Amino acid sequence: MIGSWVKVASVAPDRWWVTFLGQCITAVSQIFILGIPARLAAVWFGPTQVSTACALASSGNQKVRTTKPNQPFPLSTPIHSPSTSPFSPTQNSRGSLGFLLPPAIVPDTTDKDEVGTGGSPSCSTRRRASHGALHHHHLGLFKECPPTPPSAAALTQEDSGSYFHGVVRLMKNPNYVLLLLSYGINVGAFYAISTLLNQVVLKHFPGETLNAGRIGLLIVLAGMLGSVVCGFILDRTAKFKLVTLTIYVMSMVFMLGYTFIFRLETLWLVFVTAGLLGFFMTGYLPVGFEFAAELTYPEAEGTSSGLLNASAQFFGIFCTMADGQLLDSFGDMAANLLLVVVLLIGSIMTGCIKEELRRQAAHKKTAPSGIQPQV
């Protein structure tokens, strides 16, 4: 909320440092937010619901999140073109509302005053939304935990001590380390795709700024559906490695299709391919959280998912910077082929993970008296 308030005052070419300050504050908040779904699901839901609950929480995060680093007004250079507008849909956010609202609110123009006029209500909307969500949901309605643990695993999960010692133990778990790297690669590639989507689309379809935003919106909405579907499958099958590997390979396949589909110069095919890509790549997010929880039980889910998010941010920076350089120097095909290669590497890493479902084993133990399994 504080970061959003700061950015309300940043919409002017000479206030880049204000934008940067507000974005830093908002980015820090992710440390406390992004790891919530896995922990929330484990605390409140039983063994046949936990993956679906994590998926729903993750999909809600994708629907409204607007914390992708902005491309602010430069200090000394003008706005060059609509494709590099500081409020272009893919530069501004990877949440679906972030793809949808900026093109509708902010004019597609090189006039800084017009962009500022449109940008002010955009930032103000964020501030009001953050303010309302914080007070009404977190302070008024949210409870720490249910009166009775929902499963034997939740009851017997031990306090693993300090966070530092928990991290050390996780780094000694080779299967988790493989998942940590492969998760970062997959999600980092998705960050690069969403960040550079506007430039790629406008290169092949000049003037289609609104459709670039709609493609981004479709990617996120399809990903929300993918998250729920994959979570449901995990709850029904408990085939964590199989589901994870399948999603990973399909992400690579549709990334390859996304790479070449622009050569056909047919916009509706781009929509279809991008939607399928989003279904699998975003659908991977809760699957990774849940697989990590299985591999690392009884470590706290917040620790394992927090490290996954840190890995995603690291690889996101790498993939976006490398892709951006390739896009400028060699074009979008070279940039997208790089992401195909890194997804292939991630698929191989995922295939090397030994499926050790510790939390599932704890679920199968006889529940102590007083625990009512969630059905």
Side-chain angles (χ1 to χ4, degrees):
M1 182 184 68
I2 293 172
S4 297
W5 270 100
V6 170
K7 286 195 284 184
V8 170
S10 72
V11 188
D14 59 346
R15 298 180 197 163
W16 179 88
W17 67 272
V18 181
T19 300
F20 190 80
L21 174 62
Q23 193 61 42
C24 286
I25 296 172
T26 306
V28 169
S29 72
Q30 291 188 99
I31 299 172
F32 306 98
I33 295 172
L34 295 184
I36 287 176
R39 179 62 180 169
L40 185 78
V43 169
W44 281 89
F45 295 89
T48 62
Q49 299 173 328
V50 61
S51 297
T52 303
C54 180
L56 287 169
S58 299
S59 66
N61 181 37
Q62 288 295 317
K63 180 170 71 173
V64 300
R65 177 141 51 98
T66 54
T67 54
K68 182 81 174 166
N70 290 1
Q71 180 185 356
F73 288 102
L75 288 173
S76 58
T77 58
I79 300 175
H80 297 291
S81 69
S83 65
T84 57
S85 166
F87 290 98
S88 64
T90 53
Q91 297 288 348
N92 201 40
S93 170
R94 63 178 173 267
S96 61
L97 293 183
F99 279 117
L100 181 64
L101 293 179
I105 296 175
V106 183
D108 187 3
T109 177
T110 57
D111 189 315
K112 296 181 181 180
D113 292 331
E114 287 190 50
V115 173
T117 301
S120 183
S122 177
C123 290
S124 182
T125 300
R126 292 183 186 185
R127 180 257 302 168
R128 294 191 185 100
S130 299
H131 180 86
L134 174 67
H135 283 82
H136 289 92
H137 292 282
H138 296 152
L139 297 183
L141 301 177
F142 199 85
K143 295 181 180 179
E144 184 71 19
C145 60
T148 303
S151 66
L155 180 67
T156 59
Q157 189 170 30
E158 301 174 0
D159 182 1
S160 57
S162 71
Y163 179 81
F164 175 76
H165 289 131
V167 171
V168 171
R169 285 192 293 270
L170 291 177
M171 292 298 99
K172 293 180 179 179
N173 184 331
N175 294 312
Y176 176 74
V177 172
L178 284 172
L179 180 63
L180 182 71
L181 295 173
S182 61
Y183 182 94
I185 288 172
N186 188 293
V187 182
F190 175 73
Y191 290 170
I193 293 168
S194 61
T195 301
L196 301 174
L197 175 64
N198 199 50
Q199 291 94 310
V200 173
V201 171
L202 293 182
K203 178 180 179 180
H204 293 276
F205 303 97
E208 295 287 355
T209 303
L210 285 177
N211 275 325
R214 289 166 183 156
I215 291 172
L217 173 64
L218 177 63
I219 289 175
V220 176
L221 292 179
M224 291 168 58
L225 176 61
S227 295
V228 176
V229 170
C230 294
F232 180 81
I233 292 173
L234 280 183
D235 277 334
R236 292 298 177 270
T237 66
K239 301 292 185 181
F240 285 83
K241 181 178 177 178
L242 177 61
V243 173
T244 303
L245 183 59
T246 300
I247 294 172
Y248 219 120
V249 172
M250 294 305 294
S251 297
M252 181 187 66
V253 169
F254 283 108
M255 184 66 229
L256 187 63
Y258 178 83
T259 300
F260 292 99
I261 201 66
F262 286 98
R263 297 300 172 276
L264 299 178
E265 302 293 338
T266 304
L267 190 58
W268 71 267
L269 287 176
V270 177
F271 270 90
V272 172
T273 306
L276 291 170
L277 179 63
F279 180 91
F280 288 104
M281 292 196 79
T282 309
Y284 176 78
L285 299 178
V287 173
F289 285 162
E290 289 300 291
F291 198 14
E294 293 292 338
L295 294 173
T296 61
Y297 181 88
E299 298 294 341
E301 293 84 1
T303 304
S304 61
S305 61
L307 291 176
L308 291 182
N309 281 313
S311 176
Q313 299 299 325
F314 172 80
F315 281 101
I317 293 171
F318 168 78
C319 290
T320 301
M321 292 181 65
D323 246 33
Q325 290 294 326
L326 287 174
L327 183 64
D328 291 339
S329 302
F330 302 102
D332 60 285
M333 179 171 287
N336 289 331
L337 283 175
L338 171 65
L339 299 183
V340 173
V341 172
V342 299
L343 287 173
L344 175 61
I345 295 171
S347 298
I348 295 172
M349 287 182 176
T350 303
C352 293
I353 297 174
K354 180 181 178 181
E355 189 176 47
E356 188 178 2
L357 306 182
R358 301 177 180 180
R359 190 172 63 176
Q360 289 295 312
H363 283 320
K364 294 177 182 178
K365 293 180 180 179
T366 303
S369 59
I371 296 183
Q372 300 295 326
Q374 301 291 319
V375 295

